[in-house]
Amino acid sequence: MKLIFAAVAVSLSFAACEAQAQSSQSRPPVAPGTCMEANVYFTYGQDRMEQAALETVDALSNRLAGGPIDYVIVAHMDAAEGQDPGMTSLSEQRAVSVAAALARRPGVTFRLTGAGASQPAYATRPGVREPLNRRAAIRACRP
């Protein structure tokens, strides 16, 4: 039973990938001046990107493919990861992780910022873990 389910899941995955590849090939190129935004989220205390985050940056990169892309990445932490306004190293590491995932394409430029816990998406009391605040906000523009 498990083997049949796995085979069905794999074939559905391949079909979904094939359909996605066909739809991305039929899209017209994105016009200069076009910008898109996305957020990716991190596990508490980590700068490593999970699979969902990697898929998000790949989709963004694929949508703007075909020319240069300027990225602005502002990474954040939640209140439990750092209270000191000067403590931004984890958020800076998150920004670098996102940039590394996007740097595989030629013609990309980056502006990276680690905002620490200073700009929460969702305000909390000090020391509260909030997954929505452990993020990197990505703005990608075709110059």
Side-chain angles (χ1 to χ4, degrees):
M1 223 28 145
K2 290 181 183 178
L3 182 57
I4 293 171
F5 177 73
V8 170
V10 169
S11 66
L12 288 175
S13 294
F14 286 133
C17 290
E18 185 177 305
Q20 184 180 13
Q22 288 174 353
S23 71
S24 66
Q25 291 172 353
S26 62
R27 289 183 186 154
V30 176
T34 300
C35 293
M36 298 179 173
E37 296 180 347
N39 285 308
V40 295
Y41 298 91
F42 292 86
T43 301
Y44 178 82
Q46 300 293 315
D47 64 354
R48 185 177 66 82
M49 294 177 64
E50 301 287 336
Q51 186 62 37
L54 292 169
E55 290 171 5
T56 298
V57 298
D58 281 345
L60 182 63
S61 178
N62 288 339
R63 184 63 185 109
L64 290 169
I69 306 171
D70 294 334
Y71 289 102
V72 176
I73 302 167
V74 181
H76 305 268
M77 300 170 13
D78 70 17
E81 291 176 310
Q83 294 298 315
D84 181 2
M87 185 182 161
T88 59
S89 62
L90 178 58
S91 59
E92 290 167 353
Q93 292 166 356
R94 288 175 174 165
V96 169
S97 293
V98 174
L102 290 165
R104 296 176 294 205
R105 295 193 189 267
V108 297
T109 59
F110 299 96
R111 281 184 285 151
L112 308 178
T113 303
S118 66
Q119 300 170 10
Y122 183 77
T124 64
R125 292 182 320 276
V128 173
R129 292 184 180 193
E130 174 51 56
L132 293 176
N133 293 337
R134 297 189 299 266
R135 71 194 189 286
I138 308 163
R139 181 172 173 83
C141 297
R142 172 66 56 78

